[in-house]
Amino acid sequence: EKGGYDHFMLKEIYEQPRAILDTFRGRMLSNEGIIRMAGVDDNIEKFLNAQRILIVACGTSWHAGLVAEYVFENLTRTPVEVEYASEFRYRNPIITEKDVVIAISQSGETADTLAAIKLAKSKGAFVFGVCNVVGSSISRETNAGAYTHAGPEIGVASTKAFTTQITVLTLIALKLAQKKGTISTSEFHGYLTEMSAIPAKVEKTLESDEHVKTISSIYKDATNFLYLGRGYNFPVALEGALKLKEISYIHAEGYPAAEMKHGPIALIDEQMPVVVIATRKGHYEKVVSNIQEIKSRKGKIIAVVMQGDTSIKKIADYVIEIPETLELLTPLLTTIPLQLLSYYIAVMRNCNVDQPRNLAKSVTVE
Ligand code: M6R
């Protein structure tokens, strides 16, 4: 049932080209320039009139929410707040009927997220669910929603759920941006064309597997890791660190790259691997100078760069390439090598990859 893979996690990492395709297939008609999503179309006025979008989730789904914050604000110019469901529900939050709440959950059973939805509904907000498990509690409790079509995710560490959540959320943002006129028709078409190319580009990114395995063998005994990214890839840095913590039990922290000099830089010495996401269009020069600061303190750099990058190759210890794409879509690619890195390190440390200690696939207790 693992389809020839040693673990469900690896199988699920490799299923991502298909999972992303299944998630946009039938919804995004790129030739016609149409995005069709019943849950959004039927409630379009709620979305268009929203004074604010609130996203509630936990764990990896919360990271997908953070990516969505950048995507929604950039494309639709609607203010977005992303909240840990557990904090939101106990804070006596300000929610009004003019808010749209998006709850993200792979399992659809996360207790805190479910409670946050109930609270938001009781205050009159329109609540939209992004779930993977069909018929789950969250999918039933929300006013409307859109499923990710990732297929069953068995590994406790979430992989394909994350990239398909980003896919669904990006489709929603594009649809709203088109309706609101906050992006031009040609930009809209450009995003659709590029989204159609993502499954093949994920496939291409997976070809870095052997290279990532080699890098994993070099750093598998590290006791700490730092992950840095900016913009759309800041949440990817958080997600990379969470993945490593969960399955390899190595302490890891994700940070927005520019925050490094406000504290974490003190940790850097020759023992510290730093994974830096440095795509060419995202504040590239600034990230290059962060890399130089790390190097001058003898830190080890593993950089995720866009194909054809030359400057970072000269200074990083290892580079992993992703194919060229639009900056807004890069999280769908940069995530892949970080998943593989955590996977191989965990395997090399003899950890139980699919069922890490102390963790459950769905957290139904508060
Ligand atoms: O099922 P959910 O998406 O609501 O789960 C949320 C988190 O429990 C989940 O993402 C968790 O952080 C994963 N183990 C991450 O890999």
Side-chain angles (χ1 to χ4, degrees), residues 112-125:
D112 281 316
T113 310
L114 193 55
I117 292 167
K118 290 184 177 156
L119 176 66
K121 272 173 67 184
S122 74
K123 307 254 184 188

Side-chain angles (χ1 to χ4, degrees), residues 89-212:
R89 57 180 289 213
Y90 287 117
R91 204 186 55 223
N92 191 13
I94 300 160
I95 319 169
T96 75
E97 285 153 21
K98 290 188 183 140
D99 292 323
V100 165
V101 174
I102 301 180
I104 311 172
S105 175
Q106 187 287 128
S107 63
E109 301 299 341
T110 301
D112 281 316
T113 310
L114 193 55
I117 292 167
K118 290 184 177 156
L119 176 66
K121 272 173 67 184
S122 74
K123 307 254 184 188
F126 171 73
V127 186
F128 188 91
V130 175
C131 296
N132 191 44
V133 177
V134 176
S136 54
S137 306
I138 292 176
S139 68
R140 285 183 279 116
E141 197 61 46
T142 41
N143 298 111
Y147 285 112
T148 47
H149 296 163
E153 191 182 65
I154 311 293
V156 164
S158 186
T159 52
K160 60 178 181 170
F162 180 65
T163 45
T164 55
Q165 286 164 345
I166 295 173
T167 304
V168 163
L169 293 159
T170 304
L171 292 186
I172 300 172
L174 283 167
K175 165 109 210 176
L176 300 180
Q178 182 197 31
K179 285 271 175 198
K180 290 179 89 173
T182 43
I183 57 172
S184 70
T185 309
S186 71
E187 278 175 299
F188 180 73
H189 282 273
Y191 281 118
L192 265 51
T193 308
E194 196 49 35
M195 179 61 99
S196 324
I198 288 292
K201 291 185 181 186
V202 173
E203 199 82 64
K204 183 91 197 130
T205 309
L206 286 165
E207 288 173 14
S208 64
D209 186 303
E210 275 301 315
H211 179 48
V212 175

Side-chain angles (χ1 to χ4, degrees), residues 12-301:
E12 289 159 5
I13 290 172
Y14 270 85
E15 279 172 348
Q16 288 175 108
R18 202 260 321 131
I20 294 170
L21 178 67
D22 284 350
T23 299
F24 69 62
R25 202 198 328 250
R27 288 172 166 161
M28 185 183 80
L29 312 174
S30 56
N31 292 335
E32 289 93 325
I34 295 172
I35 292 175
R36 232 175 17 200
M37 299 174 91
V40 179
D41 297 336
D42 296 347
N43 299 286
I44 196 74
E45 294 305 320
K46 295 257 189 241
F47 279 100
L48 295 178
N49 298 329
Q51 64 175 18
R52 187 170 67 139
I53 294 174
L54 271 165
I55 299 181
V56 294
C58 304
T60 290
S61 298
W62 183 77
H63 294 153
L66 279 184
V67 174
E69 175 176 30
Y70 285 80
V71 172
F72 270 81
E73 289 199 345
N74 189 18
L75 295 178
T76 73
R77 311 309 299 153
T78 306
V80 178
E81 310 254 6
V82 189
E83 305 262 4
Y84 283 117
S86 56
E87 286 299 310
F88 174 80
R89 57 180 289 213
Y90 287 117
R91 204 186 55 223
N92 191 13
I94 300 160
I95 319 169
T96 75
E97 285 153 21
K98 290 188 183 140
D99 292 323
V100 165
V101 174
I102 301 180
I104 311 172
S105 175
Q106 187 287 128
S107 63
E109 301 299 341
T110 301
D112 281 316
T113 310
L114 193 55
I117 292 167
K118 290 184 177 156
L119 176 66
K121 272 173 67 184
S122 74
K123 307 254 184 188
F126 171 73
V127 186
F128 188 91
V130 175
C131 296
N132 191 44
V133 177
V134 176
S136 54
S137 306
I138 292 176
S139 68
R140 285 183 279 116
E141 197 61 46
T142 41
N143 298 111
Y147 285 112
T148 47
H149 296 163
E153 191 182 65
I154 311 293
V156 164
S158 186
T159 52
K160 60 178 181 170
F162 180 65
T163 45
T164 55
Q165 286 164 345
I166 295 173
T167 304
V168 163
L169 293 159
T170 304
L171 292 186
I172 300 172
L174 283 167
K175 165 109 210 176
L176 300 180
Q178 182 197 31
K179 285 271 175 198
K180 290 179 89 173
T182 43
I183 57 172
S184 70
T185 309
S186 71
E187 278 175 299
F188 180 73
H189 282 273
Y191 281 118
L192 265 51
T193 308
E194 196 49 35
M195 179 61 99
S196 324
I198 288 292
K201 291 185 181 186
V202 173
E203 199 82 64
K204 183 91 197 130
T205 309
L206 286 165
E207 288 173 14
S208 64
D209 186 303
E210 275 301 315
H211 179 48
V212 175
K213 206 171 178 174
T214 307
I215 299 171
S216 306
S217 68
I218 293 162
Y219 296 109
K220 69 175 181 7
D221 297 318
T223 46
N224 289 288
F225 262 77
L226 209 53
Y227 287 72
L228 304 176
R230 286 187 81 132
Y232 299 108
N233 285 297
F234 153 54
V236 175
L238 298 182
E239 174 60 9
L242 176 64
K243 236 39 350 147
L244 190 73
K245 277 185 273 215
E246 273 190 294
I247 60 169
S248 73
Y249 317 139
I250 296 175
H251 174 246
E253 298 259 9
Y255 263 96
E259 275 293 306
M260 192 183 66
K261 56 174 98 48
H262 298 283
I265 196 166
L267 293 167
I268 291 173
D269 61 15
E270 63 280 359
Q271 310 293 337
M272 176 72 101
V274 185
V275 178
V276 186
I277 306 156
T279 53
R280 215 157 30 242
K281 293 160 193 152
H283 319 277
Y284 183 74
E285 280 73 28
K286 297 214 163 93
V287 178
V288 171
S289 76
N290 288 143
I291 294 178
Q292 274 151 349
E293 286 159 13
I294 299 164
K295 279 309 308 174
S296 64
R297 287 159 184 85
K298 302 198 171 63
K300 302 289 181 275
I301 305 284

Side-chain angles (χ1 to χ4, degrees), residues 297-338:
R297 287 159 184 85
K298 302 198 171 63
K300 302 289 181 275
I301 305 284
I302 304 161
V304 178
V305 302
M306 259 189 201
Q307 219 161 42
D309 184 288
T310 47
S311 347
I312 293 181
K313 262 193 190 143
K314 288 185 208 135
I315 42 176
D317 294 270
Y318 294 92
V319 298
I320 304 165
E321 290 192 337
I322 59 154
E324 184 109 26
T325 189
L326 297 170
E327 185 60 24
L328 185 138
L329 298 174
T330 52
L332 294 169
L333 304 181
T334 52
T335 299
I336 310 293
L338 306 194

